[in-house]
Structure formats: C-alpha cells, structure tokens
Amino acid sequence: MALLQIAEPGQSPQPHQRRLAVGIDLGTTNSLVAAVRSGLSEPLADAAGQVILPSAVRYHADRIEVGEVARAAASGDPLNTVLSVKRLMGRGLADVKQLGEQLPYRFVGGESHMPFIETVQGPKSPVEVSADILKVLRQRAEATLGGELVGAVITVPAYFDDSQRQATKDAARLAGLNVLRLLNEPTAAAVAYGLDQHAEGVVAIYDLGGGTFDISVLRLTGGVFEVLATGGDSALGGDDFDYVIAAWVVQQAGVSADLDPGQQRLLLQAACAAKEALTNSALVTLSYAGWQGELSREQLDALIEPMVARSLKACRRAVRDAGIELDEVEAVVMVGGSTRVPRVRQAVAELFCREPLADIDPDQVVAIGAAIQADALAGNKRGDGEELLLLDVIPLSLGLETMGGLMEKVIPRNTTIPVARAQDFTTYKDGQTAMMIHVLQGERELISDCRSLARFELRGIPPMVAGAAKIRVTFQVDADGLLSVAALELASGVEASIQVKPSYGLTDGEIARMLQDSFKNAGDDKVARVLREQQVDAQRLLEAVEAALLADGERLLDADERMAIDAQMQQLRDCMAASDGLAIEQHTKRLTQITDAFAARRLDATVKASLAGRSLDEIEE
Amino acid sequence: MGTPCHFALFDLQPGFRLDPELLASRYRELARHVHPDRFADASEREQRLALEQSASLNEAYRTLKNAPHRARYLLALSGPELPLEVTVQDPSFLLQQMQWREELEDLHDSADLAGVAQFKRRLKVAQDELNESFAVCWDDALRREEAERLMRRMQFLDKLSHEVRQLEERLDD
C-alpha cells in the first residue's frame, strides 16, 4: 500500500472489517497458532480440541503426517520421522555433526551447505520440514477463523542469529504465509504478560524451551515494550536434559552407547518421561532394554546443573548489558515447557531473589503474545485503544573481517533495531582495485570464533596509493533482525550491496524448486490465486489513497499533483473491472510511484505534528 | 527526518543538561510514528522509508542518551569535526588514567568481585562529577578548549566502564 494510513484515534478506515492475522510459535518440541478473537488472544485448537501441535513430521512415500501421530511413530520409523527440527535451522552440516551423534537421521548435502535429511520422500531440508509444520497450523487457522490470512507473526528465539532467522522466514514463505514480522519469543511473552497484568517497569523473561534458551530484560512503559538487553544460547534446552539422562542410563545399564536410531528414540523418550515425572515426584523408576533403575530428583538436579548454571550466567550478562543491577528487576516471567523443572525455577528464584511468575501457561504465552502483535500489524485497532510498540535489539554483534583475521564490530549486541551504521575502510596495497567484504556475527575477536554470514567483493575501485581509497560499508538491520550490507567507494561511487544470504541458507534455486513443488501438491489454481491477490492489493491501495486524499489532499498537494493521482486511480479501477491481472499490477505500481512524494510529505507532517501537539500540551500545563 | 540536528528532532534546546525521562518519552512517542511496525502492510518504498527514519531516530537517541556521546556531538555541532582518537595533552588526567587502569588490572588478577563492585561505584561517582564539570564549562563559550578536554576524559571513563563489564563477564566464567 502506498500511503500512510493515519487514522484519527478511535477511528478506523474500515471499522467493520477485521483482518485475519495469527501468531505462530514454531517451537522445538511443540508448535501453536493463536489469534485475537473478540478482543481476546487465545490459541486455536484442532478438530480434536488440541491446541498443542507436536513439532514432529513423518514422511511416507505419498503423504506427510504432522503432530502427535508422527511423534508416536518416531521410534518405529526414526529415519523418516523428524523431531526437534528447529535445532537444525540455519545450521551447516558441520554444526549439525557437532550437535552430536545423537541425531538419528541420515544427512545428505544439498546444493547449498544446508544439511538435508534423507527420507522415503527424498531429501528434506530443515526449512521444508518446518514449512510442513507451519502448513498444518495455517490450515487450522484458516478453518477456525473462516478466511484467508493477511499474514502471520512467527516467533524465533531472541538469540537466533541471522542464518536461523532467514531460514525461519524461508519456511514461512514455503508454507504460503505472509510474514508480517519475525518476533523474538521473550518479547512476545512480555507482550502477553504485560498486557494481561498491566505491568510497568523492568521485567526479565526467562525462556527455556525444548532446544533454545533466551533471557530478555525489558522496560514496560504504557504499551511500549523496550528490550534493554537479551542473551541466551540457541543450543540449550530441555532436549539437552533428556540427553544427559539418556547418557546416565547408558552408563548405569552398562550398555554400548552405540545405539541404532530406533533404540536411541526409545531411550530419549524414556529419559523425557522420567524428567517430566520428576516435576511432581521425588523418585522415578526407569527401564530400558532390560535394565531397570531409579532416578531421584537430586540426581536429576546434579545432572542438569551445568546447563542451569550456563543459563544463569547468561542472565547475569543480560542484566549487566541492560545497565542495571539484579535487584532492579521487578518481575521474572517463566516461559517454555522446560521451566517446569523444579531445579530451574528454584535457581532462577535464587538469582533474582524473587519468586518467578508463571500466570500464563508457559507453553502458550509466546503464541498468545505473537497473536496480539499480528493483530496490531494487520491494522486492527485494539479494544482498549492502547497502541503497542515493540522496540527490540540484536542479540549478537555484527562486524567485518579486518587484517589479521580479526573481527571489527560495526554494530554491538543489544543495539535497538532498526539500525543502520556505516564504517569506513581503506585499501592496504598500492593500486588495489578490489576488496573482500566478509560479514560476521558474534562476540569473539578472532573471526574463526564468529559465525560467517556472508562474503562479497567490491570491485572496480580506481587504482590509488594504499590508504587513499575510502570504502564505506553500511550495515542495516531491519525490524525482523535481518541484515543487509552495502559497500561504496566514496571517490569513484563504485558500489556493491547484498541482502545477506546466510552461508547455511537455501539457495534461490532450492527455494524456487520447493515453491514449485508446493504449488503442484496444493493443486491450487495459481493464476486465479494471483489475480485475487492483485485485486485485493489494488483495492487496499485505492482505499488508502482515498483516505489520505480526504485527510491531507488539500493541504499537501497542488492541483496538478492531485489531478495526476485522480487519473491514475481511475485507470486502476478500470483494469480491476476488466480483471486484467497484468494491467492491475502495472497500474498499482504506477499509483504507488506517483503517490510516493505525497506519502513522504505526510510522514514528515505526522512527525512534526506529534512534536507540535506535545509542546502545546506542555505550554498549557 | 530531514532535520540536521538531533536535539531539534526531539524538540529540545541544544545543551548538555537534559532530562533523561523527557528524552525517553519523546523518543517513544516519535518511535510510535515511524517504527516499521506501523507500516507492516505498506508498500516496499514506505517500509524502506520507515526503516530509514526509525534507524536515524534510534541513532539520534543513542547519541543523546549517553553523556560522552552527547558532549562530543555538541562540540561537533559548534566547531570543527573532532577526530575520534587523538593524543591529548592532559598530563594531570594521565596520572589518574594510569591509576584506574592499574587498579582494574589488579582486580582482574585477584578476581575480586567485591572489589569490582566498589570500583564500579567509584567510577560512577567520577563520571557524575565529570558530567557536572562539563555542563558548567559548556555554558561558557570561552571555555571550549577545556570542554573538549573534559569530553576526552568522559570518553575514557566510558571506555573504562565498558572494560569493567567485560571483566565482570570474564570473572563470571
């Protein structure tokens, strides 16, 4: 849509029309979809009344099963059943191997560096597996809400790096979802909690899921959720508790650690069941492959202590990064199923010297918060009139490789997004005409300890003596936390830029093939769908322009400009009436272009008005 | 936002003393208007515009919020551009500087957490004093050179407090 929709408070351009948008928590163990209905955000249930969808996908030769059925089949058909796929998102084959031999899959390399899982349906990338989970949630939402979705907010761990975020966005695209925003899980939880409790002040969100851990410190002020700092570990979660229990069993039972995939699944299931049972009892009996033994809560506490300690360390760091002391945190909210483990609660309570809160179901709170944000982003007004604003940060520093294999930070961690920052570099050899730009993410000084996000080359620098060229590299991180980088030689104007394509992402070729496959499978009439989308877009644009003209047309446009806009609007209406897809697209674009300047003027005027309005109030005080 | 000056953006008079609460509340208000979330459904160009405006708003806020950054920005507004790193002739401070550093190194070697906490409190007091001196000095146009020197001292203490945080992190390992 080309023009700002600036509605007067309490007045919506289309008061009776609620646009359908959902929040999706794509979790390691479980996934959920939620939506705001009658002013209330709640998870949506499937036909059987279940809101939680286990993040499990089983591939058969001719069909796909997702959810509980798939999870139940994991030990019987381990190679074709994918669990905890989130741990593989945005990771390279080498990273995945490092995660351990514990993963009972057969990996194959793809066109990109991403690991593919070999199944009876052919190789599946983690992105495709995630998309299969998202598709089920999308269908559930469309069936429940009775219409097509405008878009979705998908949550990601705050500590996810650029590759992992990009992979998540790709998965949503494959599932046919329009991503309104990638939202950090702890921030989503803070929204749900803050609005529910009308909380103000400094809040810490401790989010321990199946495979990831996040800690975020936020300041809540009248509908504004400002993340002060975030930290965590994108490879720490309840799954790891299962692994240490499993390792303990192997040791106690005196069996070989070299298990086949089916045995491994069975063992992990037994370990997970024992962990869950120990939440309410002090002792549990475990049996595996003929061995039987007892595991006490104290033993479990000891086994998981190193991981709990790691999470507490991340908490202390986040509090320091927020520039506050531990006792300034006014509330601690527990999120994620793994916070049900008693030792975790106790350790968090001890660190912050206060009882952590779990008023909202820790499994649901993220999806509930995401749905509130999705509803707002789709343009629906909130019932209480309070406007939400989420100010998030980047979790890891971004920088460039400099001489000697060192990382030079351009944007430090915990910088508020969106952010754009430039740094100047120069050539180090006489007559140097090209420069390699190597983009990195991480906190360590040596580039080998950081994650390599992308490499690209700036060519065509005019030959000069060493140190004379001035190359400005600009980093820009958008509101999804995704990075793009541009390099410009200032004297000659030579330019190079890239949307950072993560080293472990899918190639464009792979995405195109998958999209094509999904169209084929869906059996959708693609042409009709495209035309419908074009008409919806055009209609929305027309409505927005009309509203804008009504509000500011006289004030901000001269007669010629006004005439040009009116004429273009009429042309667009004509081709809509004729259902001419190509013409609709062209004229929508054209209308967007000729209203651009108007849009910019309105944005400026809004900013000025917001200042002027406030100054006036102050004078009156 | 087309305005050349960060202070004007927040509708504030250029000056060193400012009310952090007022700055924060104006920031939040402006952010509400330009944040990309308001344009989630808008055209690509509008989203880009919102992204750029939001990014420059965040940058302006970051500059004014932090005292040394604010001081440096003020000096740059009213005079020639200041190089980031220069050798400053400030012998009386040099001695203090060396003392701070030595102490920090000792704390590192002894891994003394209580000592670090105390060091932080003293550092905070020194920073507050320095901010006050700069504020007084800034009000007097004739004392620009002194203001510049004070700003360099502020930068040093800022860097030092960053190093204290890194030390705390290392000691937490």
Side-chain angles (χ1 to χ4, degrees):
Chain A
M1 219 179 305
L3 285 171
L4 301 177
Q5 289 190 301
I6 303 165
E8 294 301 318
Q11 210 181 7
S12 153
Q14 297 140 290
H16 306 300
Q17 217 175 333
R18 214 161 173 84
R19 308 181 64 214
L20 304 178
V22 294
I24 294 179
D25 175 1
L26 182 60
T28 307
T29 318
N30 295 312
S31 296
L32 290 93
V33 58
V36 173
R37 290 194 289 176
S38 322
L40 205 69
S41 179
E42 51 185 13
L44 306 177
D46 64 9
Q50 295 297 318
V51 295
I52 284 178
L53 178 74
S55 304
V57 183
R58 182 184 184 190
Y59 292 96
H60 296 270
D62 57 344
R63 66 200 166 93
I64 299 171
E65 281 174 330
V66 178
E68 196 49 57
V69 199
R71 182 154 72 185
S75 56
D77 187 17
L79 295 177
N80 296 307
T81 309
V82 186
L83 304 184
S84 297
V85 68
K86 190 174 181 177
R87 306 198 87 168
L88 309 178
M89 291 288 271
R91 303 279 185 176
L93 206 49
D95 296 322
V96 170
K97 292 237 164 87
Q98 225 181 14
L99 267 178
E101 307 297 306
Q102 303 138 328
L103 295 164
Y105 310 120
R106 277 195 308 244
F107 289 108
V108 288
E111 200 178 302
S112 55
H113 298 285
M114 207 180 226
F116 282 66
I117 298 162
E118 190 62 59
T119 73
V120 286
Q121 223 181 73
K124 296 284 172 185
S125 75
V127 170
E128 283 170 284
V129 178
S130 300
D132 286 326
I133 298 168
L134 288 170
K135 274 180 203 160
V136 172
L137 294 173
R138 192 191 94 197
Q139 283 154 6
R140 180 194 292 186
E142 285 176 347
T144 314
L145 302 173
E148 227 175 288
L149 302 179
V150 170
V153 167
I154 317 271
T155 61
V156 289
Y159 217 60
F160 253 20
D161 65 27
D162 198 81
S163 318
Q164 293 167 309
R165 283 168 199 270
Q166 193 66 58
T168 307
K169 210 171 176 178
D170 287 346
R173 246 173 83 198
L174 267 185
L177 285 163
N178 172 33
V179 180
L180 294 169
R181 186 68 74 232
L182 293 179
L183 177 61
N184 289 331
E185 284 158 11
T187 310
V191 169
Y193 162 80
L195 295 179
D196 185 61
Q197 309 280 315
H198 304 286
E200 297 270 305
V202 178
V203 173
I205 310 286
Y206 181 100
D207 180 357
L208 188 62
T212 58
F213 168 66
D214 282 330
I215 170 77
S216 283
V217 181
L218 297 98
R219 188 187 306 278
L220 277 48
T221 328
V224 181
F225 294 77
E226 187 181 1
V227 179
L228 301 177
T230 196
D233 192 328
S234 61
L236 172 65
D239 281 7
D240 297 294
F241 296 179
D242 301 348
Y243 288 132
V244 289
I245 298 172
W248 177 83
V249 170
V250 165
Q251 195 197 2
Q252 296 291 310
V255 294
S256 156
D258 196 20
L259 307 173
D260 74 42
Q263 290 172 319
Q264 229 180 86
R265 270 285 160 237
L266 277 176
L267 175 59
L268 285 172
Q269 277 168 4
C272 182
K275 171 187 75 179
E276 287 176 4
L278 285 174
T279 295
N280 293 313
S281 48
L283 198 67
V284 60
T285 306
L286 245 162
S287 49
Y288 171 73
W291 170 87
Q292 199 174 42
E294 281 180 333
L295 179 67
S296 71
R297 194 186 278 172
E298 285 75 36
Q299 280 169 305
L300 172 68
D301 290 355
L303 286 173
I304 64 173
E305 194 52 35
M307 288 168 258
V308 174
R310 242 161 85 198
S311 81
L312 296 187
K313 196 178 131 189
C315 291
R316 287 191 291 268
R317 189 176 88 158
V319 168
R320 269 198 303 276
D321 281 356
I324 57 167
E325 298 295 327
L326 277 165
D327 58 12
E328 289 175 71
V329 175
E330 291 160 81
V332 184
V333 181
M334 297 301 249
V335 179
S338 306
T339 59
R340 290 205 175 86
V341 174
R343 173 63 198 141
V344 171
R345 286 197 184 204
Q346 185 197 3
V348 173
E350 280 166 11
L351 177 70
F352 289 97
C353 294
R354 60 177 61 246
E355 213 38 57
L357 306 170
D359 300 86
I360 309 180
D361 186 332
D363 287 323
Q364 300 186 359
V365 63
V366 167
I368 290 172
I372 296 171
Q373 161 84 333
D375 194 52
L377 291 182
N380 298 320
K381 286 268 167 214
R382 284 175 47 74
D384 57 16
E386 191 172 49
E387 246 185 286
L388 272 187
L389 177 64
L390 314 188
L391 300 166
D392 226 306
V393 300
I394 55 163
L396 295 154
S397 303
L398 292 163
L400 289 168
E401 175 176 349
T402 58
M403 296 277 291
L406 294 179
M407 191 243 209
E408 163 96 9
K409 283 177 190 167
V410 177
I411 306 179
R413 68 172 192 246
N414 292 317
T415 299
T416 305
I417 52 173
V419 57
R421 206 161 287 172
Q423 192 126 325
D424 291 347
F425 293 85
T426 190
T427 46
Y428 67 98
K429 265 197 291 195
D430 285 345
Q432 188 179 340
T433 58
M435 186 180 249
M436 179 59 97
I437 314 277
H438 185 195
V439 185
L440 299 154
Q441 185 161 31
E443 306 309 318
R444 309 281 290 277
E445 270 182 14
L446 288 177
I447 62 156
S448 49
D449 295 328
C450 293
R451 174 159 291 258
S452 165
L453 292 181
R455 286 171 198 270
F456 66 105
E457 209 171 349
L458 177 69
R459 289 170 179 279
I461 303 171
M464 288 179 248
V465 291
K470 201 173 179 190
I471 291 121
R472 177 158 297 170
V473 181
T474 309
F475 278 50
Q476 183 179 271
V477 182
D478 66 16
D480 290 327
L482 292 171
L483 172 70
S484 53
V485 180
L488 173 72
E489 200 290 303
L490 294 175
S492 61
V494 172
E495 207 171 340
S497 71
I498 51 155
Q499 181 79 43
V500 171
K501 267 274 161 207
S503 310
Y504 302 121
L506 295 170
T507 65
D508 284 338
E510 285 168 337
I511 291 201
R513 174 185 62 76
M514 289 170 192
L515 274 172
Q516 224 164 22
D517 286 355
S518 73
F519 276 127
K520 250 192 325 226
N521 294 341
D524 235 13
D525 185 356
K526 196 174 154 193
V527 180
R529 192 185 167 113
V530 168
L531 177 64
R532 201 162 67 237
E533 278 171 12
Q534 282 163 338
Q535 282 185 316
V536 169
D537 283 350
Q539 188 55 39
R540 286 211 321 251
L541 175 64
L542 284 169
E543 283 168 12
V545 175
E546 274 161 16
L549 286 173
L550 199 65
D552 292 315
E554 294 220 349
R555 199 157 57 91
L556 299 176
L557 292 173
D558 66 29
D560 284 352
E561 289 170 328
R562 176 65 194 249
M563 216 150 69
I565 292 175
D566 283 342
Q568 187 56 42
M569 286 172 78
Q570 194 48 51
Q571 272 195 313
L572 180 54
R573 284 197 195 96
D574 291 346
C575 42
M576 280 174 74
S579 292
D580 181 346
L582 194 66
I584 295 175
E585 196 181 336
Q586 281 169 349
H587 285 288
T588 304
K589 210 183 245 171
R590 178 94 190 89
L591 182 57
T592 307
Q593 281 164 357
I594 69 167
T595 50
D596 258 359
F598 183 32
R601 267 177 244 168
R602 294 192 78 215
L603 189 60
D604 276 346
T606 312
V607 170
K608 285 196 190 107
S610 77
L611 282 171
R614 205 203 20 256
S615 309
L616 260 179
D617 292 346
E618 272 150 25
I619 292 163
E620 279 164 9
E621 269 167 22
Chain B
M1 268 108 281
T3 38
C5 167
H6 292 343
F7 289 98
L9 177 62
F10 294 98
D11 200 21
L12 294 166
Q13 286 301 314
F16 183 71
R17 289 184 210 270
L18 61 76
D19 175 359
E21 284 303 314
L22 182 66
L23 177 69
S25 78
R26 293 206 171 160
Y27 164 69
R28 288 193 289 262
E29 196 162 331
L30 286 166
R32 271 188 202 281
H33 289 283
V34 295
H35 195 276
D37 279 0
R38 264 191 79 124
F39 306 93
D41 212 17
S43 70
E44 243 173 71
R45 191 194 122 97
E46 246 174 349
Q47 293 193 356
R48 206 179 56 238
L49 212 67
L51 175 63
E52 284 165 9
Q53 298 221 4
S54 251
S56 54
L57 175 67
N58 284 338
E59 198 60 30
Y61 181 50
R62 190 185 75 102
T63 304
L64 296 195
K65 203 167 51 168
N66 171 288
H69 290 178
R70 185 165 71 243
R72 187 184 161 76
Y73 182 70
L74 275 170
L75 285 161
L77 269 185
S78 64
E81 205 183 314
L82 300 159
L84 203 59
E85 305 276 346
V86 285
T87 326
V88 190
Q89 296 299 322
D90 192 355
S92 59
F93 189 61
L94 192 65
L95 204 67
Q96 269 184 46
Q97 233 169 316
M98 283 162 59
Q99 266 170 5
W100 283 111
R101 284 221 175 284
E102 249 168 60
E103 258 184 80
L104 195 61
E105 269 166 42
D106 289 346
L107 287 170
H108 177 253
D109 295 341
S110 61
D112 173 8
L113 277 172
V116 173
Q118 212 221 349
F119 186 88
K120 261 167 73 179
R121 279 194 294 276
R122 273 175 42 224
L123 183 58
K124 179 81 180 53
V125 171
Q127 283 178 308
D128 288 346
E129 281 171 8
L130 202 49
N131 289 350
E132 183 53 33
S133 310
F134 183 89
V136 171
C137 186
W138 180 251
D139 289 337
D140 185 346
L142 295 174
R143 293 167 68 189
R144 186 186 157 92
E145 211 172 301
E146 191 185 341
E148 213 176 303
R149 197 164 58 234
L150 289 174
M151 184 274 288
R152 299 277 176 206
R153 292 182 181 185
M154 288 159 81
Q155 274 186 336
F156 170 78
L157 292 188
D158 201 37
K159 222 170 123 192
L160 197 64
S161 69
H162 188 71
E163 282 165 28
V164 174
R165 269 223 299 281
Q166 284 179 328
L167 173 62
E168 283 183 303
E169 209 164 295
R170 270 202 300 273
L171 293 182
D172 203 2
D173 268 333

